[in-house]
Amino acid sequence: MRRRILLWGFRPADDDLHGLGSLELRALRAVWRLGQARVREVREALEHTVAYTTVMTVMDRLYKKGMLDRQRAGRAYVYSAAASPEEIQSSVAMGLLQRALGGGTETATPVLSSLVDAVGDRDRELLDELDRLVREKRRALKRREG
């Protein structure tokens, strides 16, 4: 069995979704729940634990990071999520994998091996799904080449 190594300062994706701070993540989750929301509504969803101006700043930062869309409605903005939680997690995973696999075959092999081990240890059906996805991707690449 492989030994797990704890990396100092490393936080799982749930705690640091796409580089977001904890308040940004709470605000984003509130917008996901509400669908569309003004700053006041997000503040209410955060149970008034944060000042209105702080929530306004956080929402603006999320907009500038591309996590939220906004439309002017009178003097205020109405915010909505730019992507679903699944789309953002997929983007985060893709970014991590691209960095991990970026060094070529020599650095990619341990990453891929660890992925297969992690999937296999968790659930054999997931391993079958991984195999199916690899075969599907190979077929798609062949169609694109030919």
Side-chain angles (χ1 to χ4, degrees):
M1 182 162 162
R2 289 191 177 169
R3 188 175 139 208
R4 290 190 149 196
I5 300 169
L6 176 63
L7 300 175
W8 291 100
F10 179 79
R11 293 184 292 178
D14 286 347
D15 294 342
D16 189 26
L17 185 65
H18 209 67
L20 300 182
S22 62
L23 185 55
E24 289 174 321
L25 185 55
R26 288 173 53 209
L28 181 58
R29 285 182 174 150
V31 173
W32 279 329
R33 276 193 313 275
L34 297 167
Q36 290 187 333
R38 290 178 164 81
V39 171
R40 175 183 47 80
E41 296 162 333
V42 171
R43 183 171 181 252
E44 288 171 8
L46 298 175
E47 300 175 356
H48 299 281
T49 57
V50 184
Y52 179 90
T53 54
T54 302
V55 176
M56 185 169 52
T57 300
V58 165
M59 302 288 283
D60 185 60
R61 285 184 182 162
L62 287 169
Y63 169 74
K64 288 177 180 173
K65 288 181 178 184
M67 305 298 280
L68 294 178
D69 292 326
R70 68 183 181 191
Q71 299 272 331
R72 180 141 326 251
R75 292 176 40 195
Y77 286 110
V78 176
Y79 291 89
S80 59
S84 70
E86 295 79 16
E87 290 169 326
I88 291 175
Q89 283 196 331
S90 177
S91 175
V92 169
M94 184 64 81
L96 289 171
L97 285 171
Q98 285 176 340
R99 282 193 299 276
L101 300 174
T105 305
E106 190 174 297
T107 58
T109 299
V111 172
L112 293 174
S113 177
S114 295
L115 175 64
V116 170
D117 286 345
V119 169
D121 289 347
R122 179 159 185 200
D123 187 342
R124 284 182 183 254
E125 288 178 16
L126 282 177
L127 200 54
D128 291 339
E129 177 64 8
L130 180 61
D131 184 47
R132 184 191 70 76
L133 291 170
V134 168
R135 285 185 310 226
E136 187 178 293
K137 185 64 173 183
R138 283 190 176 145
R139 281 192 300 273
L141 290 171
K142 282 182 183 178
R143 279 193 301 266
R144 211 180 305 160
E145 289 172 356

